[in-house]
Amino acid sequence: MATGLAQAGARVVMNARDAQRLDQAAAQLRATGAVVDVLPFDVTDVDAVQRAISDYEASKGPIDILVNNAGMQHRGPLEDFDPATFDHLMRTNVNSAFYVGQAVARNMIARRSGKIVNIASVQSALARPGIAPYTASKGAITNLTKGMATDWARHGLNVNAIAPGYFETELNAALVADVDFSAWLENRTPQGRWGKVEELQGACVFLASDAASFVNGQTIYVDGGITASL
């Protein structure tokens, strides 16, 4: 998504907790000709979030587009799920979108302009065994998106979400390598394959652009049709 926005002309600000990996990712994107800043901080630390956003806007300028993409997954039987792990997952998947969204939105509201794109999931609408906490977190993102739009649209903000289906990512590496699961997924998905991360670019650029000026509070499923088909 950062690549897609950069190709559309955006100056990109990349965030992560790990400064070394962040610098590596930024270098790869700069190699394509993109203008990239890095802003390392932990999105689950509200004080760090507010400080980083405030410092960046004071020194570099306004953040016009925000993509809330922090996320994690833990699998296991719900009856045995560790409460501390549940809290950690929710802080990462839900609290972070609120913390960063609120910090950025305050400045957007003052300017009466801004685009926020939250990353939901096919699990916002569906569930599978062993991932109930993740499903709960992504359902929360969908409704948080509606709430943000309801509160902030009158101030000139557009807040929407992208809900990816099953994509070939590091988070899903074990599932991609599982022959049986991949076969099930290909049969279950009308397009018959895993998604490729590049296929998230179009929805992201659309929601961040003037083309989506009257789109608010919506969740766009980029899932190969899996939520449309029984």
Side-chain angles (χ1 to χ4, degrees):
M1 290 180 287
T3 299
L5 289 168
Q7 290 174 346
R11 178 188 184 119
V12 174
V13 187
M14 300 181 73
N15 161 262
R17 293 174 299 176
D18 187 325
Q20 182 177 358
R21 293 185 66 189
L22 181 60
D23 286 340
Q24 292 171 350
Q28 291 175 357
L29 190 52
R30 289 189 188 112
T32 69
V35 179
V36 183
D37 293 328
V38 294
L39 200 57
F41 63 89
D42 185 344
V43 292
T44 68
D45 181 339
V46 64
D47 292 333
V49 168
Q50 293 176 354
R51 183 169 56 251
I53 298 302
S54 177
D55 289 350
Y56 183 86
E57 293 221 348
S59 62
K60 296 286 189 177
I63 297 172
D64 301 310
I65 302 163
L66 168 66
V67 179
N68 275 315
N69 191 38
M72 69 186 311
Q73 172 69 291
H74 284 281
R75 296 179 173 86
L78 186 58
E79 64 273 18
D80 298 324
F81 208 88
D82 177 44
T85 302
F86 182 91
D87 289 342
H88 186 204
L89 188 149
M90 295 299 288
R91 285 198 310 274
T92 302
N93 292 7
V94 182
N95 292 27
S96 67
F98 166 66
Y99 294 156
V100 183
Q102 182 189 63
V104 173
R106 284 171 173 160
N107 297 321
M108 290 178 169
I109 287 169
R111 296 189 294 268
R112 299 197 62 79
S113 176
K115 307 283 190 178
I116 296 177
V117 180
N118 297 321
I119 304 304
S121 168
V122 68
Q123 307 302 341
S124 296
L126 303 173
R128 279 188 52 79
I131 59 168
Y134 182 84
T135 299
S137 74
K138 291 304 182 177
I141 285 294
T142 297
N143 275 345
L144 180 61
T145 298
K146 294 177 182 178
M148 286 177 166
T150 300
D151 280 9
W152 297 338
R154 66 181 181 272
H155 299 296
L157 278 63
N158 293 84
V159 187
N160 295 285
I162 296 171
Y166 283 87
F167 278 72
E168 294 184 41
T169 67
E170 291 181 12
L171 195 65
N172 284 330
L175 294 179
V176 174
D178 185 326
V179 175
D180 290 338
F181 183 88
S182 285
W184 170 86
L185 179 68
E186 290 165 5
N187 288 328
R188 175 67 179 80
T189 304
Q191 283 193 238
R193 60 176 175 83
W194 287 85
K196 300 183 183 300
V197 290
E198 295 81 6
E199 293 174 302
L200 294 171
Q201 293 178 1
C204 186
V205 171
F206 165 67
L207 292 174
S209 75
D210 289 340
S213 59
F214 204 57
V215 180
N216 236 323
Q218 303 304 305
T219 297
I220 297 178
Y221 285 85
V222 183
D223 65 359
I226 196 169
T227 55
S229 174
L230 288 173

